[in-house]
Amino acid sequence: MSADPNVASPAVSVIIATYNWSAALRCALESVRRQTLRPIEVIVVGDGCTDDSAEVVASMNDPRIQWHNLPFNTGSQASPNNHGIDRASSDWIAYHGHDDVWHPDHLATLVAAATDRNAAAAAATLLMYGPPGTGVFNVAGSFAGSAMAPTDFVPPTGLLHRRDLMDLTGPWREADSIALPVDCDFLKRLAKFTAVVPTNALTAFKFNAAARRDAYVHRDVSEQRAMLDKLEGPEFRHHELAFALRALASNQLGRILMPDTEGLALGELARNNRKFKGVEPRFQRDDLRICNVTLQFGVEDQRAPHEWHAIELDSARRPFRWTGPAPRAFLDYPIVRDRDLDVRLHLRAVTREVADRLAVRIDGHTMPTRRVENADGTFHVEFRAGAHPGAHLNIELDVMRTVRPSEAGINADMRALGVAVWRCEVTPAID
């Protein structure tokens, strides 16, 4: 669907919440500037930014683009979005994730869908890309019915709504006051007052920082830049849909749904996301332990998205979990590295070849390891982690490429697997 260029379109205000990632912001602004339906204004709101984001906005030399910066970091897009909405001058609000990319037809198709169906909100078809190497895609905005269902979720970068709906929904709510993530909470409240209709056009491409370990530490925008380079091509969207269909065939295409928050404390999901993205440290000082004696850890708390599959139980009812679909997975343990530590991991590999190419790294350095085979097909990997004051114990497991048992002729499991991990034992080194 695209807008008729001979028919006047309603004005749109675009709001971009951002925090200390100016290179990603530059890509987002470039995709806004390419829109065939030009927004009346672009309101960029920093969440207490201390980097050069203001200079990036100024370098656009575009009078439509405003810069605002909150006096301190609030930890989510809620306050920046509210600030932007308060200053918006048009009847329609669109949100752009600062690390996402829009197709040039994005705003035009959103407005056309909403106006054609006399709706107060519309959602673009959106692809969310898993981290490089996973082959994972997730889709949103493509509904089973004619409008969004209660279990559906559309990230804000795919959403358009009338500004006056805010009188009914109230403002975006702060992360620490709710169990749902702020964007899920807002969409759920919005959907109580209006149908959210689909554009049925693929125009939004999301690179979720919450699925990319330490995204705010590395600040890599190679995926966004590559997307900007190729999205102008006439066959671009066909190619992306073909990738998504291949992911579907290999059980790696999912729908983005509202998360289950049962048993979670208020703000817990948001705090976990901030830690994983590298905005906050993994562990607070009071959480860290000194290793004076042998400490043993399971894998229940290793919940990094795309690095770990769900907890399983072996025949002896012991919990374990597989790495995958990413070829690299990390074990984070709250241990102070104020001394050398001897580490022992209890593992199983999906194939012998995976076991042979497994690399164990600490601080980016491949560790010399000793492998001990067990009669039940599991094995232990032993190595020494050197002292690194100020750091916690973080172990990288790299299998280089994962394997689907169904494709390897092992069994019918279609998941991409690396190694299964039961436990980790850490002992102060004794020379």
Side-chain angles (χ1 to χ4, degrees):
M1 179 187 297
S2 60
D4 185 342
N6 298 312
V7 177
S9 296
V12 177
S13 296
V14 174
I15 297 172
I16 304 178
T18 190
Y19 177 65
N20 281 5
W21 197 353
S22 62
L25 176 61
R26 186 181 294 279
C27 295
L29 289 170
E30 180 58 35
S31 76
V32 173
R33 293 178 71 186
R34 295 184 187 183
Q35 293 300 296
T36 56
L37 190 160
R38 292 170 60 84
I40 191 173
E41 61 194 359
V42 182
I43 306 171
V44 184
V45 185
D47 190 25
C49 288
T50 57
D51 66 348
D52 62 341
S53 292
E55 288 77 10
V56 165
V57 171
S59 72
M60 295 286 128
N61 196 27
D62 188 330
R64 295 174 301 154
I65 305 177
Q66 309 172 24
W67 168 251
H68 304 264
N69 196 24
L70 301 184
F72 57 89
N73 179 252
T74 64
S76 80
Q77 63 181 293
S79 286
N81 284 344
N82 288 333
H83 188 92
I85 291 167
D86 287 345
R87 284 150 184 78
S89 58
S90 55
D91 293 332
W92 291 92
I93 301 293
Y95 306 93
H96 196 324
H98 75 164
D99 50 353
D100 301 331
V101 173
W102 284 349
H103 187 275
D105 289 342
H106 179 73
L107 289 178
T109 53
L110 279 170
V111 169
T115 55
D116 288 352
R117 296 179 58 181
N118 195 29
T125 300
L126 174 150
L127 279 180
M128 184 166 73
Y129 297 78
T134 63
V136 170
F137 289 79
N138 285 279
V139 65
S142 184
F143 307 136
S146 59
M148 188 180 76
T151 55
D152 286 325
F153 172 63
V154 179
T157 200
L159 182 66
L160 174 85
H161 67 79
R162 287 190 57 87
R163 187 180 186 279
D164 55 16
L165 279 175
M166 301 299 296
D167 297 333
L168 301 173
T169 65
W172 286 65
R173 299 197 291 192
E174 297 297 336
D176 289 343
S177 68
I178 53 179
L180 283 168
V182 296
D183 47 5
C184 298
D185 172 77
F186 176 74
L187 184 63
K188 197 167 188 177
R189 289 184 289 124
L190 185 83
K192 290 181 179 179
F193 299 102
T194 185
V196 181
V197 301
T199 66
N200 295 319
L202 174 61
T203 59
F205 309 94
K206 184 168 185 62
F207 304 93
N208 189 14
R212 287 161 170 76
R213 179 181 286 270
D214 291 331
Y216 280 76
V217 176
H218 304 305
R219 294 185 173 89
D220 179 19
V221 294
S222 57
E223 293 176 277
Q224 290 87 344
R225 287 176 177 154
M227 183 64 69
L228 283 172
D229 288 342
K230 66 183 182 180
L231 59 72
E232 298 283 4
E235 298 299 317
F236 161 72
R237 283 184 282 191
H238 293 149
H239 292 156
E240 297 307 297
L241 287 171
F243 289 139
L245 287 173
R246 282 201 293 274
L248 175 64
S250 60
N251 201 37
Q252 290 185 291
L253 177 70
R255 290 175 59 209
I256 308 176
L257 301 174
M258 288 284 180
D260 180 7
T261 59
E262 184 178 355
L264 296 178
L266 298 182
E268 183 176 347
L269 275 177
R271 287 190 294 274
N272 289 340
N273 283 342
R274 288 197 293 267
K275 291 176 182 179
F276 186 75
K277 292 187 292 187
V279 177
E280 296 181 6
R282 290 286 192 285
F283 303 106
Q284 298 300 318
R285 185 185 300 272
D286 291 344
D287 297 327
L288 295 172
R289 302 168 63 181
I290 295 174
C291 184
N292 292 320
V293 296
T294 298
L295 301 174
Q296 189 169 122
F297 299 90
V299 287
E300 292 86 347
D301 294 332
Q302 307 299 326
R303 300 190 181 98
H306 303 297
E307 295 180 10
W308 297 96
H309 291 287
I311 288 282
E312 301 175 56
L313 297 176
D314 64 13
S315 58
R317 309 295 295 173
R318 296 170 300 187
F320 71 96
R321 67 195 319 160
W322 286 98
T323 67
R328 296 189 305 159
F330 294 80
L331 293 158
D332 286 295
Y333 295 116
I335 299 175
V336 177
R337 289 175 56 194
D338 60 346
R339 65 199 69 190
D340 290 352
L341 302 170
D342 286 332
V343 182
R344 191 173 195 246
L345 298 174
H346 183 187
L347 312 171
R348 179 193 293 273
V350 63
T351 65
R352 181 71 187 193
E353 291 76 15
V354 169
D356 290 341
R357 64 175 179 253
L358 172 66
V360 179
R361 299 190 184 98
I362 301 286
D363 304 326
H365 303 294
T366 300
M367 297 287 101
T369 61
R370 175 174 176 263
R371 193 165 82 189
V372 180
E373 305 287 346
N374 301 316
D376 61 358
T378 65
F379 60 95
H380 289 88
V381 168
E382 300 171 350
F383 58 95
R384 177 162 293 184
H388 188 167
H392 71 274
L393 182 59
N394 173 255
I395 304 166
E396 176 186 344
L397 305 175
D398 186 357
V399 300
M400 301 182 193
R401 61 184 180 278
T402 53
V403 171
R404 293 187 182 88
S406 58
E407 295 179 0
I410 300 170
N411 55 44
D413 193 339
M414 295 181 65
R415 296 176 300 169
L417 306 178
V419 292
V421 182
W422 273 260
R423 62 183 179 273
C424 174
E425 297 172 2
V426 186
T427 304
I430 302 174
D431 292 321

